[in-house]
Amino acid sequence: MGSSSYKKRMGPIEKQGVVQAYTMLVPTVAIVMAIVLFPLIANFWISFKDVTVSDLRIAEIKVTEKFQKKPKTKGDISKVEYRFNNFSKSSNIKNVNFKDILPKGLVIKELPNNCSISDNIINCQLGDFKPKEKKKIKFETIAENDYFISQENPKDTSPIVKGKSENRLLNLELKLKNFEEIFTSPNFWKTIRISFAYSLFSAIGSLTLGILAAQLLMTTFIGRGIIRGIFLFPYIAPIIAVTITWKILTDPFFGTINGILTQLQILNEPISFLQVRDMTINFLGFEFSFPVALSFVILFESWRYFPLAMIFILARLQSVPKELFEAAEIDGATPLQKFRSITWPLILGVLFVLFLLRFIWTFNKFDDIFLLTGGAAGTKTLTVDVYETGFNIGNLGTGAANAVLVFLILVFAAIFIIRFSPKE
Amino acid sequence: MNNSQKILISLIISSFWGLISNIVLGVFFILLIGSTIQFNYFSYIISSSIITLLIVFYDRKSLQIYISLFILTFILILIFTGLSPYGLNINENSFLQILFLLIQSFIILIGNIICLSGINKMSFNRLFLEILFLRVLKGFGFTFFLTIVLFPFYVMILMSLKTHQLLILNPLDLSIDITRGLNMFRSYIELFTDWGFGYYLLNSLIVSLSSIFIALIFAIPGAYAVARFNFPGKLLMINSILLIYLIPMITLLIPLYSFFTFINLRDSLFGLIIVYPAVTIPVAIYMLQGYFQTIPQELEEAGLVDGLSRTGVILKITLPLSLPAIASVSLFIFMVAWNEYLFAYMFLDTPAIFTLPRGLEQLDGTEVPRQHLMAGSVIATVPVIAVFLWAERYLTGGLTAGGIKG
């Protein structure tokens, strides 16, 4: 159904409808474009630029003004000095123009050669400023009678400096430097691996818990609504509140979990779950290292997002007529048979969509890991890297390049998963 | 089913209940008294088994029998643990010990009765074994899920009522000491008086409510247009709504940060009040247009015939009819705006305009005692859970349609 097919049949009323529809949509589309689509494209642009956080402040010339030897009688000579400073470390400022009003009755003895004066307004062309460049203008003034009537100080009026500072985000200098930096970084593949493991296992974990919880809530019993509400708590509580709580719970010195585990003699000594990268485990004579912090973060994700999977699965199961299950029961199906041949095929579609979305969203997730471990102890994912390169190191360009990478990986992952999805 | 099969199954199930009730209640007991206890798994398993065998072989259902079984469980545990059910002298914390023992006897009895009901009528086959197995699994499942879900919140609340000395002295002690009276809420009061949590709460409210308001103002006409009119590009629009929803927030961070720095919107609540609606509008449109389509078009046409304008129709007919959908969209936006951390963290620098998540993060960075952190977490969590529980019965759609993000 292309748009052209109904265009032909459109009468005046429908045409009016189109106009109305567009008028209603314009503001909505505009705000989403401005805050979501435009930044997405801008992010690609920034990823090709060599910009730092300090470049965001538009470079300006700072002026300081001095007035020495204040005149006491007519004919006294005073000195006026202006100092100009481009504090920016990276930006040129071009065609700098300077204006200031001099008090009445102060006559300039010798006008600096790039300046002009009219109606007591001094106007100077200062030319171009390189980064960190300083310039000065000095002249002497002679006091006349008018000066002593008004007694104004040249410093009473603030000078105006105008210049064309280049905005380093907007110039056309595009480089591949940021991407080179990312791909040559020794930790690049490790970060990718961690991101994938984190997203994959968190998605699987939350879905598994979600299926189990949904099965529990499929039986009818008193207080089911309340329990269903309680099961949603991890998901609706603010992320900052739950991360702080889990950090305190797992604290090796005063943490409740370590206390309980040592009490139950499951652990010999407390473990700092969020700060230990690897732990060597001796199992049946084999030694292997186990990523503690990463596993804990994955468990946290499964804990936080299982309620979501649960609601979706419950919604799917409750939309099925009860007779289906009852009929199977009459036919003598065991509970596991019922699950395998009725429930599982029913929820497979939902599970697939949920897996796709959970995978994508966990891959995108920044807050959870950042708040739990700060990306330390082998939990640095790509999204944490965006923040670190962009704001900790202050290299916005590299940060944006990392964000581009997150975006592209997601697009490909989504296409890949959808291609190999079960047909439904 | 012969007797040896019954005995075998009863013993397995009763051991499970004896063990699990002892572990779960024992952990809670530790948290309440704050000192070490002993776990007498074996005594509990034996008591549980004896009771279970009685239930199976003396299969009478009456209240008197259940009550006497309950008392018997209680006595059996006391005897097998040598009068100290938790390895403590019965004189210390005796009230709690007896209370916990009563609860535990109740759980053991009920768990076994439910799991083993009908065992005498069933034949020993796969169906029966699976049913029994699933009953035990469900019992375990509820215990497991309720524990993992409630435990952090339980610790959050109880720790916030403690003092620094008490927490250092015994981090496991999470009892409530009612004798301290209002002193228990000291950290809450201090957060409001010394740490500016009043402002944070207010700012969070302002941001959330404005976000709801703005998002609805933009989303309602948009959703209405999508639901009611045919226009070129409609299909593209509906598809892109969902795609936009999958765009990672982190890719928007650096451009928005730069852009907002240029136009001086950073470090102001305005910035957040623009961003939050913008990222929630696509979902809001999606949910609302679905609901608008269920409203019969004839109602609106009647309104048009009676001389209402299109705007009048929307305001007087469509909106009042779609209140449930609007409520669930509002709940969704509220939850996003109230809980949002990333942009609040990046955009806000001045403490006076911090939202709760930003203020709490700031608090976490300082050397503040943990009862304050927990009290802050409670302050941030309670409103959103309260709103959710209050609204939940009307609108589960709000979560399923929009809940993916996050």
Side-chain angles (χ1 to χ4, degrees):
Chain A
M1 284 291 282
S3 55
S4 55
S5 59
Y6 54 83
K7 226 179 222 166
K8 284 172 209 152
R9 296 186 264 106
M10 254 194 300
I13 295 172
E14 277 98 0
K15 262 190 196 149
Q16 198 198 352
V18 171
V19 174
Q20 271 184 337
Y22 282 146
T23 359
M24 285 175 158
L25 277 168
V26 163
T28 319
V29 173
I31 188 174
V32 176
M33 286 274 200
I35 304 294
V36 182
L37 287 183
F38 163 71
L40 183 69
I41 295 159
N43 188 70
F44 275 87
W45 174 263
I46 298 173
S47 72
F48 291 105
K49 315 236 22 128
D50 185 13
V51 280
T52 59
V53 175
S54 55
D55 291 330
L56 291 183
R57 254 179 291 130
I58 294 175
E60 280 176 358
I61 305 275
K62 292 269 177 325
V63 205
T64 42
E65 191 174 352
K66 271 186 188 169
F67 184 56
Q68 286 165 334
K69 296 186 187 163
K70 208 176 168 198
K72 295 201 174 64
T73 53
K74 189 188 167 194
D76 276 1
I77 292 179
S78 326
K79 280 184 185 170
V80 178
E81 185 180 307
Y82 293 94
R83 289 184 184 181
F84 306 89
N85 194 343
N86 177 8
F87 281 104
S88 166
K89 286 174 196 162
S90 47
S91 295
N92 292 311
I93 301 179
K94 286 177 186 163
N95 289 332
V96 179
N97 183 342
F98 155 75
K99 266 185 198 162
D100 194 14
I101 304 172
L102 287 178
K104 276 182 187 161
L106 276 188
V107 178
I108 297 177
K109 206 171 152 195
E110 194 180 337
L111 199 66
N113 46 13
N114 46 3
C115 296
S116 61
I117 187 151
S118 64
D119 293 342
N120 280 7
I121 297 174
I122 181 164
N123 189 341
C124 303
Q125 302 299 328
L126 295 168
D128 299 349
F129 276 69
K130 292 196 182 79
K132 307 228 82 182
E133 190 177 339
K134 292 173 192 168
K135 286 184 186 178
K136 264 187 212 170
I137 289 184
K138 272 200 250 177
F139 50 80
E140 289 177 334
T141 55
I142 305 167
E144 289 181 350
N145 275 339
D146 282 359
Y147 176 78
F148 298 97
I149 297 168
S150 58
Q151 285 278 358
E152 283 171 62
N153 191 314
K155 287 169 91 172
D156 291 347
T157 56
S158 48
I160 302 163
V161 192
K162 275 185 192 155
K164 253 184 103 177
S165 71
E166 53 168 1
N167 185 334
R168 286 172 61 84
L169 264 180
L170 297 182
N171 67 19
L172 287 172
E173 218 177 288
L174 296 174
K175 291 174 190 162
L176 281 172
K177 173 181 158 282
N178 297 316
F179 289 97
E180 271 168 37
E181 216 166 275
I182 293 177
F183 289 120
T184 52
S185 148
N187 288 326
F188 174 68
W189 288 110
K190 204 174 132 201
T191 311
I192 297 269
R193 222 169 45 231
I194 290 172
S195 304
F196 269 94
Y198 168 67
S199 322
L200 186 69
F201 289 115
S202 303
I204 293 176
S206 60
L207 255 62
T208 315
L209 286 182
I211 296 173
L212 294 177
Q215 289 301 307
L216 286 180
L217 292 181
M218 272 307 280
T219 32
T220 29
F221 53 89
I222 309 160
R224 176 165 153 241
I226 297 169
I227 293 204
R228 186 174 161 284
I230 289 176
F231 277 12
L232 291 169
F233 280 9
Y235 175 65
I236 49 180
I239 180 70
I240 178 88
V242 286
T243 46
I244 289 181
T245 311
W246 277 106
K247 271 199 293 194
I248 286 180
L249 279 174
T250 54
D251 186 288
F253 303 110
F254 305 109
T256 318
I257 286 190
N258 270 307
I260 292 170
L261 289 180
T262 40
Q263 286 269 312
L264 291 172
Q265 285 157 11
I266 294 171
L267 289 182
N268 295 327
E269 56 187 50
I271 299 175
S272 179
F273 291 100
L274 290 170
Q275 283 146 13
V276 178
R277 180 188 298 263
D278 292 310
M279 209 169 73
T280 320
I281 290 182
N282 224 322
F283 184 68
L284 299 172
F286 294 101
E287 276 197 352
F288 58 94
S289 82
F290 179 75
V292 179
L294 185 61
S295 308
F296 191 86
V297 171
I298 289 172
L299 284 182
F300 172 84
E301 288 290 306
S302 314
W303 174 82
R304 180 157 166 87
Y305 296 104
F306 88 83
L308 189 75
M310 179 189 86
I311 311 182
F312 273 79
I313 296 166
L314 267 181
R316 178 74 187 100
L317 285 177
Q318 279 165 350
S319 68
V320 175
K322 279 209 177 83
E323 288 78 31
L324 199 60
F325 290 95
E326 280 161 10
E329 211 161 304
I330 292 166
D331 288 348
T334 67
L336 285 185
Q337 280 170 336
K338 266 195 287 180
F339 179 81
R340 213 185 52 211
S341 33
I342 303 177
T343 312
W344 183 253
L346 275 179
I347 61 173
L348 204 61
V350 183
L351 282 186
F352 173 74
V353 175
L354 273 172
F355 175 79
L356 177 72
L357 293 175
R358 269 323 322 153
F359 180 86
I360 291 179
W361 278 117
T362 321
F363 201 92
N364 290 346
K365 200 93 208 121
F366 164 78
D367 319 15
D368 304 26
I369 282 200
F370 181 71
L371 287 171
L372 279 174
T373 66
T379 58
K380 194 162 99 179
T381 57
L382 264 178
T383 46
V384 177
D385 219 19
V386 173
Y387 174 81
E388 267 192 13
T389 47
F391 296 100
N392 270 3
I393 301 173
N395 201 336
L396 286 181
T398 320
N402 266 319
V404 165
L405 205 64
V406 172
F407 183 74
L408 291 182
I409 290 179
L410 275 185
V411 171
F412 283 116
I415 292 173
F416 181 82
I417 299 176
I418 289 170
R419 266 204 92 142
F420 290 93
S421 66
K423 301 277 179 297
E424 206 195 6
Chain B
M1 167 143 46
N2 61 35
N3 282 346
S4 54
Q5 286 165 342
K6 276 193 212 166
I7 292 176
L8 181 72
I9 287 166
S10 312
L11 286 184
I12 294 173
I13 291 180
S14 58
S15 312
F16 168 79
W17 283 110
L19 192 68
I20 197 117
S21 65
N22 191 15
I23 293 178
V24 174
L25 284 169
V27 167
F28 266 92
F29 195 69
I30 292 180
L31 292 182
L32 273 183
I33 63 163
S35 62
T36 319
I37 65 162
Q38 260 171 15
F39 287 90
N40 300 309
Y41 305 118
F42 202 61
S43 321
Y44 287 92
I45 291 174
I46 290 185
S47 323
S48 174
S49 307
I50 294 174
I51 288 299
T52 311
L53 291 177
L54 272 176
I55 295 171
V56 172
F57 287 98
Y58 189 75
D59 189 14
R60 312 262 153 80
K61 283 180 193 123
S62 77
L63 194 60
Q64 285 98 319
I65 300 235
Y66 289 146
I67 290 174
S68 26
L69 279 174
F70 176 63
I71 296 168
L72 187 63
T73 322
F74 185 77
I75 294 170
L76 278 176
I77 296 176
L78 271 185
I79 294 172
F80 282 111
T81 54
L83 285 183
S84 64
Y86 299 99
L88 303 170
N89 192 331
I90 197 78
N91 292 327
E92 50 179 303
N93 285 315
S94 35
F95 171 71
L96 270 183
Q97 286 203 51
I98 289 173
L99 180 70
F100 265 69
L101 201 56
L102 285 173
I103 297 174
Q104 195 157 352
S105 313
F106 183 74
I107 290 178
I108 289 179
L109 187 70
I110 290 293
N112 283 321
I113 288 177
I114 291 178
C115 278
L116 289 166
S117 72
I119 184 173
N120 286 322
K121 291 183 202 111
M122 290 172 173
S123 49
F124 191 79
N125 58 16
R126 183 175 162 193
L127 176 65
F128 163 72
L129 283 182
E130 274 190 19
I131 288 177
L132 278 193
F133 175 68
L134 279 183
R135 282 179 186 164
V136 176
L137 215 60
K138 274 197 174 153
F140 176 76
F142 277 115
T143 323
F144 173 77
F145 275 104
L146 281 177
T147 312
I148 61 164
V149 166
L150 286 181
F151 180 67
F153 296 97
Y154 171 82
V155 172
M156 195 195 273
I157 292 170
L158 288 196
M159 268 197 186
S160 70
L161 302 176
K162 294 258 144 193
T163 65
H164 192 52
Q165 288 87 341
L166 282 173
L167 283 175
I168 293 290
L169 207 64
N170 188 351
L172 278 184
D173 180 6
L174 290 178
S175 56
I176 302 178
D177 187 1
I178 303 171
T179 53
R180 288 178 52 226
L182 275 179
N183 263 338
M184 289 198 297
F185 299 99
R186 206 152 142 210
S187 3
Y188 290 88
I189 295 163
E190 278 172 14
L191 281 184
F192 279 101
T193 52
D194 303 348
W195 296 90
F197 261 62
Y199 293 109
Y200 304 163
L201 201 62
L202 191 69
N203 292 333
S204 265
L205 264 180
I206 292 173
V207 169
S208 311
L209 296 182
S210 329
S211 298
I212 295 177
F213 184 70
I214 293 175
L216 284 180
I217 283 189
F218 280 94
I220 288 175
Y224 187 83
V226 173
R228 280 286 182 265
F229 297 115
N230 261 330
F231 53 90
K234 180 172 163 178
L235 203 66
L236 175 81
M237 168 117 189
I238 293 178
N239 287 335
S240 47
I241 285 175
L242 290 175
L243 285 181
I244 283 173
Y245 201 42
L246 292 177
I247 293 174
M249 295 287 245
I250 195 92
T251 54
L252 312 183
L253 179 66
I254 289 177
L256 280 181
Y257 183 93
S258 318
F259 186 53
F260 278 23
T261 308
F262 288 144
I263 57 174
N264 269 332
L265 262 184
R266 226 179 64 73
D267 202 16
S268 80
L269 289 181
F270 270 118
L272 295 185
I273 295 175
I274 294 172
V275 172
Y276 294 166
V279 294
T280 47
I281 281 174
V283 185
I285 292 184
Y286 190 74
M287 287 162 75
L288 285 175
Q289 64 97 15
Y291 199 88
F292 286 162
Q293 276 173 355
T294 65
I295 296 173
Q297 205 154 352
E298 290 73 24
L299 283 176
E300 293 182 3
E301 274 157 15
L304 284 176
V305 169
D306 285 350
L308 279 176
S309 65
R310 192 54 93 162
T311 332
V313 166
I314 297 179
L315 287 178
K316 292 202 172 123
I317 298 174
T318 318
L319 286 190
L321 285 173
S322 29
L323 274 183
I326 290 174
S328 47
V329 170
S330 308
L331 177 71
F332 161 69
I333 301 167
F334 177 79
M335 279 172 50
V336 169
W338 185 272
N339 292 349
E340 207 281 338
Y341 166 75
L342 175 62
F343 284 106
Y345 172 65
M346 295 306 300
F347 285 2
L348 304 180
D349 301 327
T350 317
I353 57 164
F354 279 178
T355 58
L356 268 175
R358 179 69 178 96
L360 201 50
E361 198 268 348
Q362 173 93 344
L363 197 67
D364 192 24
T366 54
E367 291 285 312
V368 76
R370 58 176 57 180
Q371 72 274 15
H372 285 90
L373 281 177
M374 293 288 84
S377 302
V378 173
I379 294 172
T381 310
V382 164
V384 68
I385 286 193
V387 167
F388 173 79
L389 286 183
W390 169 73
E392 191 231 357
R393 67 199 79 173
Y394 311 109
L395 26 92
T396 43
L399 270 180
T400 35
I404 295 292
K405 192 150 197 166

